[in-house]
């Protein structure tokens, strides 16, 4: 896990050093404009509070988006073209599964 400017990145490599996947925690303002418009249109009463771009070898990127409403939140997964892959209601206190295991950050990166 490392910082790339204001964005946190977690990269996974095989034992032989071959890149497998990367997850980048990006500012919601940096979401591609067309995707942001699609997400907002499909979820008019929700704010985008968190975005994680996920890149996997030989696949186009996907975006895990946390949508917060007044009384409930959802975790939605979108393709870059705006296609909704999945949307599940977030449990209270739930974090992105990609970063749950990364609680070992001690501020020294």
């Amino acid at each position: 896990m490392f910082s790339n400017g204001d964005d946190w990145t977690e990269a996974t490599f095989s034992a032989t050093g071959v890149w497998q996947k990367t997850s980048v925690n990006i500012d919601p303002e940096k979401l591609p404009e067309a995707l942001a418009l699609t997400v907002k249109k499909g979820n008019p009463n929700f704010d985008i509070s968190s975005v994680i771009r996920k890149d996997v070898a030989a696949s186009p990127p996907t975006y895990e988006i946390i949508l917060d409403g007044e009384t409930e939140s959802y975790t939605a997964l979108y393709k870059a073209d705006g296609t909704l892959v999945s949307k599940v209601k977030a449990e209270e206190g739930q974090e992105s599964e990609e970063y749950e295991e990364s609680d070992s950050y001690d501020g020294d990166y």
Side-chain angles (χ1 to χ4, degrees), residues 6 11 17 24 26 30 50 52 55 75 81 83 101 108:
D6 293 333
V24 181
I26 63 172
K30 293 181 182 178
S50 174
I52 298 174
D55 297 294
T75 301
D81 68 3
T83 303
E101 297 177 17
D108 292 333

Side-chain angles (χ1 to χ4, degrees), residues 5-74:
D6 293 333
D7 301 328
W8 283 97
T9 301
E10 184 172 320
T12 304
F13 295 86
S14 71
T16 59
V18 176
W19 172 78
Q20 294 177 325
K21 65 182 179 177
T22 303
S23 296
V24 181
N25 189 3
I26 63 172
D27 183 322
E29 298 296 321
K30 293 181 182 178
L31 192 62
E33 185 176 348
L35 179 56
L37 291 173
T38 299
V39 172
K40 289 176 184 177
K41 183 178 179 181
N43 304 280
N45 298 319
F46 291 85
D47 293 323
I48 298 172
S49 65
S50 174
V51 177
I52 298 174
R53 188 185 75 229
K54 297 182 175 192
D55 297 294
V56 178
S59 297
T62 56
Y63 293 83
E64 179 182 283
I65 300 173
I66 306 298
L67 301 164
D68 287 329
E70 285 189 33
T71 60
E72 56 192 9
S73 295
Y74 289 88

